[in-house]
Amino acid sequence: MALWVFGYGSLLWNPGFDVAESVIGTLPGYARSFCMRSIHHRGTEENPGLVLALDHQPEHACSGMALRAAPGTEDATIAYLRERELISSAYLETNLQVTLADERVVDAVVYVIDEAHEQYCGGLPLEEQAQIIAQAVGGRGPNTEYLYNTAEHLTSVGLHDADLDWLCARVKSLQ
């Protein structure tokens, strides 16, 4: 059985697994936002950064990429993703339906924010997000790199996120 994964942040530009197919997809009921404090990858416990997560918002839909793992790599892919995405248990691994650009509907593994987790910080004003992202650095590098790579990749596949575009411009002005 095919393993689909929905990417909306770093999975877009750094999936870390062998992708057999990549298709633009839409996930209803969620919004991409910097609503998770990063204490490992893009910040530290003392100086948290911010990473994107899917925040449950019934009136929204998130556009991203549905990534199909190469056949025969499904178990290794899920093990890798769990090690990467569930490092602090702030994400919940769930299976949700994603509508692909070619109108197929697939069940995909999706990592959504646990709103009860201490790293959840939904609703931060964009200016506060920019201030945090401009200075945070974690185990995988500067928070700015995460922002810029995600925004650039979304644009390259024809998806635009107005908040990310604003954040990129503001963070660049702060540096």
Side-chain angles (χ1 to χ4, degrees), residues 15 22 34 50 73 75 90 93 96 102 112 114 119 126 164:
S22 179
F34 279 100
L50 292 174
T73 68
D75 290 343
E93 182 181 282
L96 297 171
D102 60 15
V112 300
D114 178 356
Q119 287 174 251
L126 286 175
L164 291 188

Side-chain angles (χ1 to χ4, degrees), residues 14-69:
N14 182 25
F17 61 92
D18 190 9
V19 177
E21 184 178 4
S22 179
V23 183
I24 290 174
T26 303
L27 176 66
Y30 290 88
R32 171 185 23 252
S33 69
F34 279 100
C35 63
M36 180 177 155
R37 295 193 190 282
S38 178
I39 59 173
H40 299 287
H41 298 315
R42 298 298 173 168
T44 63
E45 288 189 30
E46 300 77 28
N47 191 23
L50 292 174
V51 291
L52 293 165
L54 290 173
D55 209 356
H56 182 66
Q57 296 183 16
E59 70 282 3
H60 286 83
C62 179
S63 294
M65 297 300 290
L67 309 170
R68 183 171 56 84

Side-chain angles (χ1 to χ4, degrees), residues 76-95:
T77 296
I78 218 57
Y80 164 77
L81 288 170
R82 286 177 176 158
E83 182 178 329
R84 171 181 166 167
E85 301 297 329
L86 302 179
I87 189 168
S88 65
S89 302
Y91 285 127
L92 300 172
E93 182 181 282
T94 185
N95 288 292

Side-chain angles (χ1 to χ4, degrees), residues 101-133:
D102 60 15
E103 299 185 11
R104 286 180 289 167
V105 176
V106 298
D107 288 324
V109 172
V110 181
Y111 293 95
V112 300
I113 190 71
D114 178 356
E115 294 178 12
H117 197 277
E118 63 188 12
Q119 287 174 251
Y120 177 69
C121 60
L124 290 179
L126 286 175
E127 178 61 29
E128 186 176 346
Q129 293 176 38
Q131 295 289 333
I132 293 168
I133 292 168

